[in-house]
Amino acid sequence: MTQDIFGQETSLTSASVVTDWNAVQMAVLAHGASAAEHLGAVLTAAPDFAHAQAIKGLSLLMLGRSELLPMAQDALKAAKAGYEAALPRERKYVDALESWMQGRPSEAIMHMEQVLAVDPCDTLAMKLSHGIRFIMGDAHGMRASVERVMPAYAPDHAGRGYLLGCHAFALEETGSYDKAEIAGKQALWMAPNDAWGLHAIAHVHDMTGNAKGGLEWLTGREEAWAHCNNFRYHVWWHKALMHLDLGQIDQVMELYDTEVRKDKTDDYRDISNATSLLMRLELEGVSVGNRWEELSELCANRTEDGCLIFADLHYLLALAGRDQKTATKRMISRIQQDAKNRSNEAHDRMATPGCDAALGLEAFGDGDYATAFSRLHAARSSMQLAGGSHAQRDVFERMTIDAGLRAGDFDTVETILDDRRAKRDGGEDNYALARRALIAEARNPENGQSVPAE
């Protein structure tokens, strides 16, 4: 029996394949683009290695694309074929894949936590639990999971830096901003390519309204995310958000064209970066030219996916109000039908917050701001269940606020702004300050101004 880089026993017997397997695990932790290449090498040399087949299947499911489900099913079939030869710990990964294939990602998390209960230093299991919880919108679960295993990690453990990066992000998502910044810096010191830990600190700056400090943090650290898969586009997105908050529109547009949308993929994570950035720009009155067109065309082809409500809502940003009424109606109808079916956990999210949020986005695109505000406000309390981060979901918060302003419901909008500020540890970005100024102007009968409808 051999051991992997984290000291865990593995059913692999070839030293060269173990080397490739170690490279797979380290690349997954670092969001490295090389993960697929190393995984391919492992599966070519050891196609019956159930653990690697399970990772292939789980990775496919995380991409949130319905056309990849048959490939994930094939990976599960291959993993099950090697199940008897697998170690008990490795079988749990197969069980996790099977649970998610059956529509129960929360059960997949449970299997990863069962691994960690016995082998807390299995950093790959930690990362998968963290990642699936992120998709499910379980910030407190992310934090609790990391903090349960942290005492078991020796200072020289190969995965400790990435563990700290996950801790930093979980701390930020649960409002512990000072601790998150410390943990993120420790993560980068131990694992200089830990883009997740680096981006956790970018989130801290976003949530505390410190765009200038965020730019200072990211500038000069590009090597920490240059090696990444499409996650690198997301880090550039963070930098663009910081420029936007500072009113530096030219820099935002340049980053959109050269980095955020460098590759015109229809990966939902890339689409979410692009659509949410363009929407933020439009809310600030910036004309984005024809940049919506390629996104709308791509998103019109994703209306039947139904894998993740987070993805669907971002597709709708590119469809609603953009001469894509047929595709918009098709997607909303499908979301409503999935919500009625309630046959899996994804459908639960389609029901809550999906239906209200989707109808709110449609109304916003149609210029019906009263309806948009009513629907988006109804979805607001459960938007965490859509998954993603506070920063990612904030585009929907901004649309809710702006719909309320255009509908004239200043009191409710002010309450939302107060709640938004409380979640940001009392800090406010320039977006919020500008909206408070609009409310003050609208309430002053002497200036005769009102909030514009467009």
Side-chain angles (χ1 to χ4, degrees), residues 320 358-369 371-373 375:
L359 290 169
L361 296 181
E362 179 188 34
F364 194 100
D366 290 341
D368 181 358
Y369 298 116
T371 300
F373 185 56
R375 290 292 190 173

Side-chain angles (χ1 to χ4, degrees), residues 34 118 204 219 225 252 272 427-428:
S34 63
V118 177
V204 169
T219 301
W225 74 85
V252 177
S272 69
E428 288 201 292

Side-chain angles (χ1 to χ4, degrees), residues 245 284 397-398 401-402 420 429-435:
D245 194 58
E284 296 305 317
E397 186 89 324
R398 293 180 183 216
I401 290 167
D402 278 31
R420 186 176 183 270
D429 50 19
N430 287 321
Y431 165 83
L433 294 174
R435 270 56 185 180

Side-chain angles (χ1 to χ4, degrees), residues 222 225-226 230 232-237 239-240 243 249-265 270 273-274 277-278 281 291 294:
E222 290 79 6
W225 74 85
N230 64 337
R232 68 186 184 275
Y233 306 133
H234 181 68
V235 183
W236 287 113
W237 173 82
K239 195 168 187 180
H243 284 297
I249 304 304
D250 288 345
Q251 290 92 324
V252 177
M253 293 300 196
E254 182 180 1
L255 282 176
Y256 181 92
D257 293 334
T258 62
E259 299 294 352
V260 175
R261 204 64 189 141
K262 182 178 182 179
D263 295 319
K264 305 296 192 291
T265 79
D270 301 338
N273 294 331
L277 181 53
L278 292 186
L281 284 162
R291 290 176 176 84
E294 61 100 5

